[in-house]
Short mmCIF file of all heavy atoms in Angstrom, two decimals:
data_model
loop_
_atom_site.label_atom_id
_atom_site.label_comp_id
_atom_site.label_asym_id
_atom_site.label_seq_id
_atom_site.Cartn_x
_atom_site.Cartn_y
_atom_site.Cartn_z
N MET N 1 80.62 119.75 117.98
CA MET N 1 81.45 118.60 118.29
C MET N 1 82.41 118.96 119.41
O MET N 1 82.86 120.10 119.51
CB MET N 1 82.27 118.20 117.07
CG MET N 1 81.56 117.35 116.10
SD MET N 1 82.74 116.66 114.92
CE MET N 1 81.69 116.60 113.53
N ASN N 2 82.76 117.96 120.16
CA ASN N 2 83.70 118.28 121.24
C ASN N 2 85.13 118.28 120.71
O ASN N 2 85.45 117.72 119.66
CB ASN N 2 83.50 117.35 122.44
CG ASN N 2 84.06 115.97 122.25
OD1 ASN N 2 85.03 115.77 121.54
ND2 ASN N 2 83.46 115.01 122.91
N GLU N 3 85.99 118.92 121.44
CA GLU N 3 87.37 119.16 121.01
C GLU N 3 88.16 117.87 120.80
O GLU N 3 88.94 117.76 119.85
CB GLU N 3 88.08 120.05 122.03
CG GLU N 3 89.41 120.57 121.58
CD GLU N 3 89.30 121.51 120.40
OE1 GLU N 3 88.29 122.22 120.27
OE2 GLU N 3 90.24 121.52 119.58
N SER N 4 87.96 116.88 121.65
CA SER N 4 88.74 115.63 121.50
C SER N 4 88.35 114.88 120.23
O SER N 4 89.21 114.28 119.58
CB SER N 4 88.56 114.74 122.73
OG SER N 4 87.22 114.36 122.88
N LEU N 5 87.09 114.93 119.85
CA LEU N 5 86.66 114.27 118.62
C LEU N 5 87.26 114.99 117.40
O LEU N 5 87.75 114.35 116.47
CB LEU N 5 85.13 114.26 118.52
CG LEU N 5 84.56 113.62 117.26
CD1 LEU N 5 85.03 112.17 117.11
CD2 LEU N 5 83.04 113.68 117.29
N LEU N 6 87.26 116.31 117.42
CA LEU N 6 87.86 117.08 116.33
C LEU N 6 89.36 116.79 116.21
O LEU N 6 89.88 116.65 115.10
CB LEU N 6 87.62 118.57 116.52
CG LEU N 6 86.19 119.05 116.29
CD1 LEU N 6 86.06 120.52 116.67
CD2 LEU N 6 85.76 118.81 114.87
N THR N 7 90.03 116.69 117.32
CA THR N 7 91.46 116.38 117.32
C THR N 7 91.70 114.99 116.74
O THR N 7 92.60 114.80 115.93
CB THR N 7 92.03 116.48 118.74
OG1 THR N 7 91.85 117.82 119.21
CG2 THR N 7 93.50 116.12 118.77
N MET N 8 90.88 114.05 117.14
CA MET N 8 91.01 112.69 116.64
C MET N 8 90.78 112.65 115.12
O MET N 8 91.55 112.01 114.38
CB MET N 8 90.02 111.76 117.34
CG MET N 8 90.15 110.31 116.94
SD MET N 8 88.97 109.23 117.77
CE MET N 8 87.44 109.73 116.98
N LEU N 9 89.77 113.34 114.65
CA LEU N 9 89.49 113.37 113.21
C LEU N 9 90.61 114.06 112.44
O LEU N 9 91.01 113.61 111.37
CB LEU N 9 88.16 114.08 112.96
CG LEU N 9 86.91 113.33 113.41
CD1 LEU N 9 85.68 114.23 113.29
CD2 LEU N 9 86.73 112.06 112.62
N ARG N 10 91.13 115.15 112.98
CA ARG N 10 92.23 115.86 112.32
C ARG N 10 93.47 114.98 112.24
O ARG N 10 94.14 114.92 111.20
CB ARG N 10 92.54 117.16 113.06
CG ARG N 10 93.60 118.01 112.36
CD ARG N 10 93.97 119.26 113.11
NE ARG N 10 94.61 118.90 114.36
CZ ARG N 10 94.22 119.30 115.57
NH1 ARG N 10 93.18 120.09 115.72
NH2 ARG N 10 94.87 118.92 116.64
N ASP N 11 93.79 114.28 113.32
CA ASP N 11 94.95 113.39 113.33
C ASP N 11 94.78 112.24 112.34
O ASP N 11 95.73 111.86 111.64
CB ASP N 11 95.20 112.84 114.73
CG ASP N 11 95.66 113.90 115.71
OD1 ASP N 11 96.05 115.01 115.26
OD2 ASP N 11 95.62 113.63 116.93
N ASP N 12 93.57 111.70 112.26
CA ASP N 12 93.31 110.62 111.31
C ASP N 12 93.46 111.13 109.88
O ASP N 12 94.08 110.46 109.04
CB ASP N 12 91.90 110.05 111.53
CG ASP N 12 91.61 108.89 110.60
OD1 ASP N 12 92.38 107.90 110.64
OD2 ASP N 12 90.64 108.99 109.83
N LEU N 13 92.94 112.29 109.60
CA LEU N 13 93.07 112.86 108.26
C LEU N 13 94.53 113.13 107.92
O LEU N 13 94.97 112.85 106.81
CB LEU N 13 92.25 114.15 108.15
CG LEU N 13 92.27 114.83 106.80
CD1 LEU N 13 91.77 113.91 105.70
CD2 LEU N 13 91.46 116.11 106.84
N ALA N 14 95.29 113.62 108.87
CA ALA N 14 96.72 113.88 108.64
C ALA N 14 97.46 112.59 108.31
O ALA N 14 98.30 112.56 107.40
CB ALA N 14 97.34 114.55 109.86
N ARG N 15 97.14 111.50 109.01
CA ARG N 15 97.76 110.21 108.72
C ARG N 15 97.38 109.72 107.33
O ARG N 15 98.21 109.19 106.60
CB ARG N 15 97.37 109.17 109.77
CG ARG N 15 98.14 109.27 111.06
CD ARG N 15 97.90 108.07 111.97
NE ARG N 15 96.51 107.92 112.36
CZ ARG N 15 95.93 108.57 113.37
NH1 ARG N 15 96.64 109.41 114.09
NH2 ARG N 15 94.67 108.37 113.66
N ARG N 16 96.14 109.90 106.96
CA ARG N 16 95.68 109.46 105.64
C ARG N 16 96.35 110.26 104.52
O ARG N 16 96.73 109.70 103.50
CB ARG N 16 94.16 109.56 105.53
CG ARG N 16 93.44 108.53 106.38
CD ARG N 16 91.93 108.77 106.37
NE ARG N 16 91.26 107.91 107.29
CZ ARG N 16 90.65 106.78 106.95
NH1 ARG N 16 90.67 106.38 105.69
NH2 ARG N 16 90.06 106.05 107.86
N VAL N 17 96.48 111.56 104.72
CA VAL N 17 97.15 112.40 103.73
C VAL N 17 98.61 111.99 103.62
O VAL N 17 99.15 111.87 102.52
CB VAL N 17 97.01 113.90 104.07
CG1 VAL N 17 97.95 114.75 103.24
CG2 VAL N 17 95.57 114.35 103.89
N GLU N 18 99.26 111.76 104.75
CA GLU N 18 100.66 111.33 104.74
C GLU N 18 100.82 110.01 103.99
O GLU N 18 101.73 109.85 103.18
CB GLU N 18 101.17 111.20 106.17
CG GLU N 18 102.62 110.84 106.26
CD GLU N 18 103.11 110.76 107.70
OE1 GLU N 18 102.61 111.51 108.55
OE2 GLU N 18 104.01 109.94 107.97
N SER N 19 99.91 109.09 104.23
CA SER N 19 99.96 107.80 103.54
C SER N 19 99.74 107.96 102.04
O SER N 19 100.44 107.35 101.23
CB SER N 19 98.91 106.86 104.14
OG SER N 19 98.88 105.64 103.44
N ALA N 20 98.77 108.78 101.68
CA ALA N 20 98.48 109.00 100.25
C ALA N 20 99.67 109.65 99.55
O ALA N 20 100.04 109.24 98.44
CB ALA N 20 97.24 109.87 100.10
N THR N 21 100.28 110.64 100.18
CA THR N 21 101.41 111.30 99.53
C THR N 21 102.63 110.38 99.46
O THR N 21 103.39 110.43 98.50
CB THR N 21 101.78 112.63 100.23
OG1 THR N 21 102.05 112.40 101.60
CG2 THR N 21 100.65 113.65 100.08
N ALA N 22 102.79 109.51 100.44
CA ALA N 22 103.88 108.53 100.38
C ALA N 22 103.66 107.57 99.22
O ALA N 22 104.60 107.23 98.49
CB ALA N 22 103.99 107.77 101.70
N ASN N 23 102.42 107.13 99.03
CA ASN N 23 102.10 106.25 97.89
C ASN N 23 102.34 106.97 96.57
O ASN N 23 102.86 106.38 95.61
CB ASN N 23 100.66 105.76 97.96
CG ASN N 23 100.47 104.69 99.00
OD1 ASN N 23 101.40 103.97 99.34
ND2 ASN N 23 99.28 104.60 99.53
N MET N 24 101.96 108.24 96.50
CA MET N 24 102.17 109.02 95.29
C MET N 24 103.67 109.16 94.99
O MET N 24 104.10 109.06 93.84
CB MET N 24 101.52 110.40 95.42
CG MET N 24 100.01 110.35 95.47
SD MET N 24 99.33 111.93 95.96
CE MET N 24 98.42 112.39 94.49
N THR N 25 104.46 109.38 96.03
CA THR N 25 105.91 109.51 95.86
C THR N 25 106.50 108.20 95.35
O THR N 25 107.35 108.19 94.46
CB THR N 25 106.57 109.94 97.18
OG1 THR N 25 106.04 111.23 97.55
CG2 THR N 25 108.07 110.04 97.05
N GLY N 26 106.05 107.08 95.87
CA GLY N 26 106.50 105.78 95.39
C GLY N 26 106.15 105.57 93.93
O GLY N 26 106.97 105.07 93.15
N THR N 27 104.95 105.96 93.56
CA THR N 27 104.53 105.85 92.17
C THR N 27 105.36 106.76 91.28
O THR N 27 105.74 106.38 90.17
CB THR N 27 103.03 106.18 92.03
OG1 THR N 27 102.28 105.29 92.86
CG2 THR N 27 102.56 106.07 90.60
N LEU N 28 105.68 107.96 91.77
CA LEU N 28 106.53 108.87 91.00
C LEU N 28 107.91 108.26 90.75
O LEU N 28 108.47 108.40 89.66
CB LEU N 28 106.66 110.21 91.72
CG LEU N 28 105.46 111.13 91.58
CD1 LEU N 28 105.54 112.28 92.59
CD2 LEU N 28 105.35 111.65 90.16
N ARG N 29 108.46 107.60 91.75
CA ARG N 29 109.76 106.94 91.57
C ARG N 29 109.68 105.87 90.48
O ARG N 29 110.58 105.75 89.64
CB ARG N 29 110.24 106.33 92.88
CG ARG N 29 110.71 107.34 93.88
CD ARG N 29 111.35 106.66 95.09
NE ARG N 29 111.60 107.64 96.11
CZ ARG N 29 111.00 107.64 97.30
NH1 ARG N 29 110.16 106.69 97.63
NH2 ARG N 29 111.27 108.59 98.18
N LEU N 30 108.62 105.10 90.52
CA LEU N 30 108.43 104.05 89.51
C LEU N 30 108.26 104.66 88.12
O LEU N 30 108.89 104.20 87.15
CB LEU N 30 107.20 103.21 89.87
CG LEU N 30 106.85 102.08 88.91
CD1 LEU N 30 107.96 101.04 88.88
CD2 LEU N 30 105.55 101.45 89.31
N LEU N 31 107.47 105.71 88.01
CA LEU N 31 107.28 106.37 86.72
C LEU N 31 108.58 106.99 86.21
O LEU N 31 108.87 106.92 85.01
CB LEU N 31 106.20 107.46 86.83
CG LEU N 31 104.76 106.98 86.97
CD1 LEU N 31 103.85 108.16 87.27
CD2 LEU N 31 104.30 106.25 85.73
N ALA N 32 109.36 107.56 87.11
CA ALA N 32 110.64 108.16 86.71
C ALA N 32 111.60 107.10 86.19
O ALA N 32 112.30 107.31 85.19
CB ALA N 32 111.26 108.93 87.87
N THR N 33 111.60 105.95 86.84
CA THR N 33 112.45 104.85 86.37
C THR N 33 111.99 104.38 84.99
O THR N 33 112.81 104.17 84.09
CB THR N 33 112.41 103.68 87.38
OG1 THR N 33 112.91 104.15 88.64
CG2 THR N 33 113.25 102.52 86.90
N ALA N 34 110.70 104.22 84.83
CA ALA N 34 110.17 103.81 83.53
C ALA N 34 110.49 104.85 82.46
O ALA N 34 110.83 104.51 81.33
CB ALA N 34 108.66 103.60 83.61
N ARG N 35 110.40 106.12 82.84
CA ARG N 35 110.70 107.19 81.89
C ARG N 35 112.17 107.13 81.47
O ARG N 35 112.51 107.29 80.30
CB ARG N 35 110.38 108.55 82.51
CG ARG N 35 110.81 109.76 81.71
CD ARG N 35 110.08 109.79 80.37
NE ARG N 35 110.52 110.89 79.55
CZ ARG N 35 111.50 110.84 78.64
NH1 ARG N 35 112.17 109.72 78.46
NH2 ARG N 35 111.82 111.88 77.91
N ASN N 36 113.06 106.89 82.42
CA ASN N 36 114.48 106.77 82.10
C ASN N 36 114.75 105.59 81.19
O ASN N 36 115.58 105.68 80.27
CB ASN N 36 115.31 106.67 83.37
CG ASN N 36 115.39 107.97 84.13
OD1 ASN N 36 115.18 109.03 83.57
ND2 ASN N 36 115.66 107.88 85.42
N LEU N 37 114.07 104.48 81.43
CA LEU N 37 114.24 103.30 80.58
C LEU N 37 113.67 103.53 79.18
O LEU N 37 114.21 103.03 78.20
CB LEU N 37 113.57 102.09 81.21
CG LEU N 37 114.22 101.56 82.50
CD1 LEU N 37 113.36 100.47 83.12
CD2 LEU N 37 115.63 101.05 82.21
N ALA N 38 112.59 104.30 79.09
CA ALA N 38 111.96 104.56 77.79
C ALA N 38 112.82 105.47 76.93
O ALA N 38 112.72 105.44 75.70
CB ALA N 38 110.58 105.18 77.99
N ASP N 39 113.66 106.28 77.56
CA ASP N 39 114.51 107.24 76.86
C ASP N 39 113.64 108.06 75.92
O ASP N 39 112.74 108.74 76.37
CB ASP N 39 115.65 106.51 76.16
CG ASP N 39 116.80 107.44 75.77
OD1 ASP N 39 117.00 108.46 76.48
OD2 ASP N 39 117.49 107.13 74.79
N ASP N 40 113.90 108.01 74.64
CA ASP N 40 113.08 108.76 73.67
C ASP N 40 112.14 107.84 72.91
O ASP N 40 111.60 108.23 71.86
CB ASP N 40 113.99 109.50 72.68
CG ASP N 40 114.71 110.67 73.33
OD1 ASP N 40 114.15 111.24 74.29
OD2 ASP N 40 115.82 111.01 72.89
N GLY N 41 111.92 106.65 73.44
CA GLY N 41 111.08 105.68 72.75
C GLY N 41 109.59 105.95 72.93
O GLY N 41 109.18 106.95 73.52
N PRO N 42 108.78 105.02 72.42
CA PRO N 42 107.33 105.16 72.51
C PRO N 42 106.87 105.24 73.97
O PRO N 42 107.36 104.51 74.83
CB PRO N 42 106.80 103.88 71.87
CG PRO N 42 107.93 103.33 71.08
CD PRO N 42 109.19 103.82 71.73
N GLY N 43 106.00 106.16 74.25
CA GLY N 43 105.45 106.31 75.59
C GLY N 43 106.20 107.26 76.48
O GLY N 43 105.73 107.59 77.57
N ALA N 44 107.37 107.72 76.06
CA ALA N 44 108.17 108.61 76.91
C ALA N 44 107.44 109.91 77.22
O ALA N 44 107.44 110.37 78.36
CB ALA N 44 109.52 108.90 76.25
N ASP N 45 106.78 110.48 76.22
CA ASP N 45 106.04 111.73 76.44
C ASP N 45 104.88 111.51 77.40
O ASP N 45 104.60 112.37 78.26
CB ASP N 45 105.53 112.30 75.12
CG ASP N 45 106.66 112.83 74.25
OD1 ASP N 45 107.75 113.11 74.79
OD2 ASP N 45 106.44 112.94 73.02
N SER N 46 104.21 110.39 77.28
CA SER N 46 103.09 110.08 78.18
C SER N 46 103.58 109.92 79.62
O SER N 46 102.92 110.35 80.56
CB SER N 46 102.37 108.82 77.73
OG SER N 46 101.79 109.00 76.47
N LEU N 47 104.72 109.26 79.78
CA LEU N 47 105.27 109.09 81.12
C LEU N 47 105.66 110.44 81.72
O LEU N 47 105.40 110.70 82.90
CB LEU N 47 106.49 108.17 81.08
CG LEU N 47 106.18 106.69 80.88
CD1 LEU N 47 107.45 105.92 80.53
CD2 LEU N 47 105.52 106.11 82.12
N THR N 48 106.25 111.31 80.91
CA THR N 48 106.62 112.64 81.40
C THR N 48 105.38 113.41 81.83
O THR N 48 105.37 114.05 82.89
CB THR N 48 107.37 113.42 80.30
OG1 THR N 48 108.58 112.70 79.99
CG2 THR N 48 107.73 114.81 80.75
N ALA N 49 104.31 113.34 81.04
CA ALA N 49 103.07 114.02 81.39
C ALA N 49 102.47 113.45 82.67
O ALA N 49 102.00 114.20 83.53
CB ALA N 49 102.07 113.90 80.24
N ALA N 50 102.51 112.13 82.82
CA ALA N 50 101.98 111.50 84.04
C ALA N 50 102.78 111.93 85.26
O ALA N 50 102.20 112.19 86.32
CB ALA N 50 102.01 109.98 83.88
N ILE N 51 104.08 112.01 85.12
CA ILE N 51 104.94 112.45 86.23
C ILE N 51 104.59 113.87 86.63
O ILE N 51 104.44 114.19 87.82
CB ILE N 51 106.43 112.31 85.86
CG1 ILE N 51 106.82 110.84 85.78
CG2 ILE N 51 107.32 113.06 86.86
CD1 ILE N 51 108.16 110.58 85.12
N GLU N 52 104.43 114.74 85.66
CA GLU N 52 104.10 116.14 85.94
C GLU N 52 102.74 116.26 86.62
O GLU N 52 102.59 117.01 87.59
CB GLU N 52 104.14 116.96 84.65
CG GLU N 52 105.54 117.13 84.10
CD GLU N 52 105.55 117.74 82.70
OE1 GLU N 52 104.48 117.98 82.12
OE2 GLU N 52 106.67 117.95 82.19
N GLU N 53 101.75 115.53 86.12
CA GLU N 53 100.41 115.60 86.70
C GLU N 53 100.37 115.04 88.13
O GLU N 53 99.74 115.63 89.01
CB GLU N 53 99.41 114.84 85.83
CG GLU N 53 99.12 115.54 84.52
CD GLU N 53 98.14 114.77 83.66
OE1 GLU N 53 97.29 114.04 84.21
OE2 GLU N 53 98.23 114.90 82.43
N LEU N 54 101.02 113.92 88.34
CA LEU N 54 101.02 113.32 89.67
C LEU N 54 101.80 114.18 90.66
O LEU N 54 101.40 114.32 91.81
CB LEU N 54 101.59 111.89 89.63
CG LEU N 54 101.51 111.10 90.92
CD1 LEU N 54 100.09 111.02 91.46
CD2 LEU N 54 102.07 109.70 90.71
N THR N 55 102.88 114.77 90.21
CA THR N 55 103.65 115.67 91.08
C THR N 55 102.80 116.85 91.49
O THR N 55 102.77 117.23 92.67
CB THR N 55 104.93 116.15 90.37
OG1 THR N 55 105.75 115.01 90.07
CG2 THR N 55 105.72 117.12 91.23
N ALA N 56 102.09 117.44 90.55
CA ALA N 56 101.23 118.59 90.86
C ALA N 56 100.11 118.19 91.83
O ALA N 56 99.80 118.92 92.77
CB ALA N 56 100.64 119.16 89.58
N ALA N 57 99.53 117.01 91.61
CA ALA N 57 98.46 116.54 92.50
C ALA N 57 98.98 116.30 93.91
O ALA N 57 98.35 116.69 94.89
CB ALA N 57 97.84 115.26 91.94
N ARG N 58 100.14 115.66 94.01
CA ARG N 58 100.73 115.40 95.33
C ARG N 58 101.07 116.71 96.04
O ARG N 58 100.73 116.89 97.21
CB ARG N 58 101.99 114.56 95.18
CG ARG N 58 102.62 114.21 96.54
CD ARG N 58 104.05 113.81 96.45
NE ARG N 58 104.84 114.87 95.85
CZ ARG N 58 106.07 114.71 95.39
NH1 ARG N 58 106.65 113.54 95.46
NH2 ARG N 58 106.72 115.71 94.86
N ASP N 59 101.71 117.62 95.33
CA ASP N 59 102.06 118.90 95.93
C ASP N 59 100.83 119.69 96.35
O ASP N 59 100.80 120.31 97.42
CB ASP N 59 102.94 119.71 94.98
CG ASP N 59 104.29 119.06 94.74
OD1 ASP N 59 104.65 118.11 95.46
OD2 ASP N 59 104.99 119.52 93.81
N GLY N 60 99.79 119.63 95.52
CA GLY N 60 98.54 120.31 95.87
C GLY N 60 97.89 119.72 97.11
O GLY N 60 97.37 120.44 97.96
N LEU N 61 97.94 118.41 97.23
CA LEU N 61 97.39 117.74 98.41
C LEU N 61 98.14 118.16 99.67
O LEU N 61 97.54 118.43 100.71
CB LEU N 61 97.44 116.22 98.23
CG LEU N 61 96.88 115.36 99.35
CD1 LEU N 61 95.40 115.67 99.59
CD2 LEU N 61 97.06 113.89 99.01
N LEU N 62 99.45 118.23 99.56
CA LEU N 62 100.25 118.64 100.72
C LEU N 62 99.94 120.07 101.14
O LEU N 62 99.81 120.37 102.33
CB LEU N 62 101.73 118.50 100.41
CG LEU N 62 102.27 117.07 100.36
CD1 LEU N 62 103.69 117.05 99.80
CD2 LEU N 62 102.22 116.44 101.74
N VAL N 63 99.82 120.95 100.18
CA VAL N 63 99.52 122.36 100.48
C VAL N 63 98.13 122.49 101.09
O VAL N 63 97.94 123.19 102.08
CB VAL N 63 99.65 123.23 99.21
CG1 VAL N 63 99.08 124.61 99.43
CG2 VAL N 63 101.11 123.31 98.77
N THR N 64 97.16 121.80 100.52
CA THR N 64 95.79 121.89 100.99
C THR N 64 95.62 121.32 102.39
O THR N 64 94.82 121.81 103.17
CB THR N 64 94.84 121.14 100.03
OG1 THR N 64 95.08 121.59 98.70
CG2 THR N 64 93.39 121.39 100.37
N SER N 65 96.42 120.34 102.73
CA SER N 65 96.25 119.67 104.02
C SER N 65 96.85 120.45 105.18
O SER N 65 96.62 120.11 106.33
CB SER N 65 96.88 118.27 103.98
OG SER N 65 98.29 118.37 103.90
N ARG N 66 97.58 121.49 104.90
CA ARG N 66 98.22 122.26 105.98
C ARG N 66 97.31 123.29 106.55
O ARG N 66 96.39 123.74 106.37
CB ARG N 66 99.49 122.92 105.48
CG ARG N 66 100.51 121.86 105.19
CD ARG N 66 101.80 122.44 104.72
NE ARG N 66 102.68 121.34 104.43
CZ ARG N 66 103.71 121.44 103.63
NH1 ARG N 66 104.03 122.56 103.08
NH2 ARG N 66 104.46 120.38 103.41
#
């Protein structure tokens, strides 16, 4: 492949990763708010687990994309 095509593909992938991680961060904010509202009620443990899993996935995506 020629260099300009590789650069274009790399830039497109970087934009897609940035967009995906931004969406994940927005979802994390929503989950954190729901977790705070749930306090110790039903579903609080599930929300905490979801936050931890999504955070790990987002962080892994960022590390892998570099």
Side-chain angles (χ1 to χ4, degrees):
M1 277 193 212
N2 76 30
E3 191 65 31
S4 62
L5 179 58
L6 288 174
T7 299
M8 184 180 71
L9 291 171
R10 185 183 65 235
D11 291 346
D12 183 57
L13 181 58
R15 281 190 299 277
R16 290 174 187 262
V17 167
E18 183 178 328
S19 176
T21 57
N23 285 333
M24 293 168 116
T25 299
T27 302
L28 282 166
R29 287 188 189 115
L30 179 64
L31 288 171
T33 299
R35 173 63 183 92
N36 288 337
L37 292 172
D39 198 29
D40 289 331
D45 290 340
S46 296
L47 286 167
T48 298
I51 290 167
E52 291 170 357
E53 289 179 29
L54 186 55
T55 299
R58 182 199 58 194
D59 294 348
L61 181 59
L62 287 170
V63 168
T64 309
S65 70
R66 292 182 182 158

